[in-house]
Amino acid sequence: MGSPNDRYVEDDLPVFRPMPWSLKEIRAAIPPEMFVRSLGKGLLYLLRDILLAAVAWSLALRIDPFFQQATIRAIITPVGAECLRWIAWGVYWWFQGLIFTGLWVIGHECGHGAFSDYKIVNDVLGFIIHSFLWTPYFSWKISHHRHHSNHASMERDEVYVPKTREDLGIPDRPNDEIDWDEIFGDTPIYTLFLLIRQQVLAFPAYLLYNVSGQKNYPKWTNHFDPNSILFTKEQRTAVILSNIGIAAMVWGVTYATSLFGAAQVTKFYGIPWLCVTHWFIMITYLHHTDPVLPHYRGKEWNFQRGAAATVDRNFLGWQGRFFLHDVAHFHVIHHFFPKMPFYHGPQATQHLKAFIGDHYVYSDIPVFKALWDNYNNCQFVENEGEHFDFLLGVVL
């Protein structure tokens, strides 16, 4: 869409045509073997991630003893040894955070039923993995399914619902009459603070306070209340079970802290978990937030149009592909077919691209630049209109 300072010219707008095909037509373009789930292959990926986490943990146990040796400090100097020690911890946090995020992705696969053909296997493994990473498995699974079923619908989507002009109190005037710099002209430092706050707190805030969810939900909507509007009466038991999983983690972390100390628990587990929150929010935010992605109201929305309103990205190169199981590289196909295993994503995406053409969105903008640009540019959408995109809220 350009920058907020660009002059708005109606003739410069692209012609947007919503996707015309049915989901059945799109599915027929994907080879049937892409939908086959293998329990054995899923378990191998899970085992790989657990082993990687164990190896990283084992190496981290050696960081402090190694750099505190008198011989090392005599060779490097104490100050140099301390600098190298914290660099080593930074390397551990980076890779353990990615490994933990990959485990979270496996739990996400379980929640969609994409891990295996066996519901009990999916739910048991997903419950354990997500509870370990402070995600209420069944509660989030329920709302996440509804997000997939209604993505890009202004009235029914569950998360990343964009604010409207009215929500932000922005006057309804032609773009060339609005001082965008005055409205969105925060200093870069303050904007960076807000962005970091999003990356660290957005997921807990969504779970606890429905931040970025539907604004017409009651004020105290959250994922831990069995009576929340998010759940039906039949789902209350599952919500309680999710809460028990989180309570078990509260006990486990408290007990570990009493044994090893808060600093050790923070270094080995707490900071990698914060990295999971950062990566998860960054991945999902960039999947669903971009100036070129449409949103819909009313009858203009359907499932396949909503599924195409996502974007694939080259996320951290080989690290994103290996550690994060391609979750960022091939997300569009996941929105079309959530039960498709992640390891079929690359090949299935090629068939999807060939069929839907320009409706498939890919961005090769470096992801940290995209995060900064989209956070600054994707501010709101118009109050009215059937299909529209971000930034200046221009109705197409």
Side-chain angles (χ1 to χ4, degrees), residues 77-118:
T77 75
V79 173
E82 276 298 292
C83 291
L84 290 175
R85 183 170 74 92
W86 285 112
I87 289 172
W89 275 113
V91 172
Y92 167 75
W93 293 329
W94 174 273
F95 284 102
Q96 190 71 296
L98 289 173
I99 294 165
F100 277 9
T101 306
L103 279 167
W104 192 96
V105 171
I106 296 291
H108 165 263
E109 288 279 295
C110 291
H112 279 293
F115 186 81
S116 78
D117 292 329
Y118 307 100

Side-chain angles (χ1 to χ4, degrees), residues 30 312 348-358 360-362:
I30 311 295
D312 283 348
T349 295
Q350 297 307 311
H351 294 280
L352 178 71
K353 288 169 58 177
F355 186 81
I356 68 174
D358 290 342
Y360 171 81
V361 181
Y362 175 82

Side-chain angles (χ1 to χ4, degrees), residues 50-334:
I50 293 173
L51 289 175
L52 285 172
V55 169
W57 200 304
S58 177
L59 292 173
L61 285 169
R62 292 162 170 77
I63 293 175
D64 288 347
F66 178 80
F67 287 104
Q68 288 170 356
Q69 293 180 80
T71 53
I72 296 298
R73 289 177 173 255
I75 296 171
I76 303 177
T77 75
V79 173
E82 276 298 292
C83 291
L84 290 175
R85 183 170 74 92
W86 285 112
I87 289 172
W89 275 113
V91 172
Y92 167 75
W93 293 329
W94 174 273
F95 284 102
Q96 190 71 296
L98 289 173
I99 294 165
F100 277 9
T101 306
L103 279 167
W104 192 96
V105 171
I106 296 291
H108 165 263
E109 288 279 295
C110 291
H112 279 293
F115 186 81
S116 78
D117 292 329
Y118 307 100
K119 186 176 185 299
I120 185 65
V121 173
N122 295 335
D123 284 342
V124 169
L125 291 178
F127 174 75
I128 294 171
I129 295 168
H130 271 189
S131 296
F132 174 72
L133 296 170
W134 295 87
T135 302
Y137 173 72
F138 292 105
S139 307
W140 186 79
K141 169 185 172 180
I142 292 165
S143 66
H144 188 62
H145 279 200
R146 199 151 51 238
H147 158 67
H148 269 265
S149 299
N150 300 282
H151 179 248
S153 166
M154 288 292 292
E155 297 90 355
R156 295 185 303 278
D157 201 353
E158 286 293 334
V159 69
Y160 292 120
V161 180
K163 295 184 182 300
T164 64
R165 181 189 293 273
E166 182 180 4
D167 292 336
L168 297 179
I170 296 172
D172 187 10
R173 292 181 289 169
N175 292 354
D176 57 356
E177 295 179 12
I178 298 176
D179 187 350
W180 293 108
D181 197 48
E182 178 184 345
I183 295 175
F184 295 119
D186 297 322
T187 64
I189 293 176
Y190 181 63
T191 302
L192 179 62
F193 165 76
L194 294 178
L195 180 56
I196 293 173
R197 184 184 67 172
Q198 169 185 285
Q199 293 307 113
V200 175
L201 299 177
F203 189 46
Y206 170 63
L207 295 176
L208 288 166
Y209 304 111
N210 193 44
V211 172
S212 88
Q214 278 294 334
K215 65 180 181 179
N216 59 348
Y217 284 172
K219 183 177 181 181
W220 299 110
T221 297
N222 66 78
H223 282 73
F224 300 96
D225 179 6
N227 298 312
S228 170
I229 193 174
L230 294 170
F231 315 115
T232 65
K233 292 181 179 180
E234 294 75 20
Q235 294 168 337
R236 289 176 180 173
T237 301
V239 176
I240 293 171
L241 186 58
S242 294
N243 292 347
I244 292 172
I246 298 300
M249 280 303 298
V250 172
W251 176 86
V253 170
T254 302
Y255 182 67
T257 300
S258 69
L259 289 179
F260 307 109
Q264 291 295 88
V265 172
T266 300
K267 284 198 298 186
F268 282 92
Y269 175 79
I271 294 179
W273 174 78
L274 284 175
C275 292
V276 174
T277 300
H278 157 69
W279 291 127
F280 168 66
I281 290 300
M282 184 174 176
I283 290 167
T284 55
Y285 178 79
L286 290 179
H287 280 158
H288 304 98
T289 309
D290 194 275
V292 304
L293 296 180
H295 286 74
Y296 301 88
R297 285 191 179 98
K299 295 181 179 179
E300 281 294 297
W301 179 90
N302 62 34
F303 178 87
Q304 58 272 29
R305 289 177 180 178
T310 54
V311 55
D312 283 348
R313 298 181 185 275
N314 180 3
F315 200 93
L316 303 182
W318 70 268
Q319 294 180 68
R321 300 209 59 183
F322 179 77
F323 291 108
L324 307 182
H325 304 298
D326 278 331
V327 68
H329 289 74
F330 304 105
H331 188 73
V332 177
I333 190 72
H334 170 67

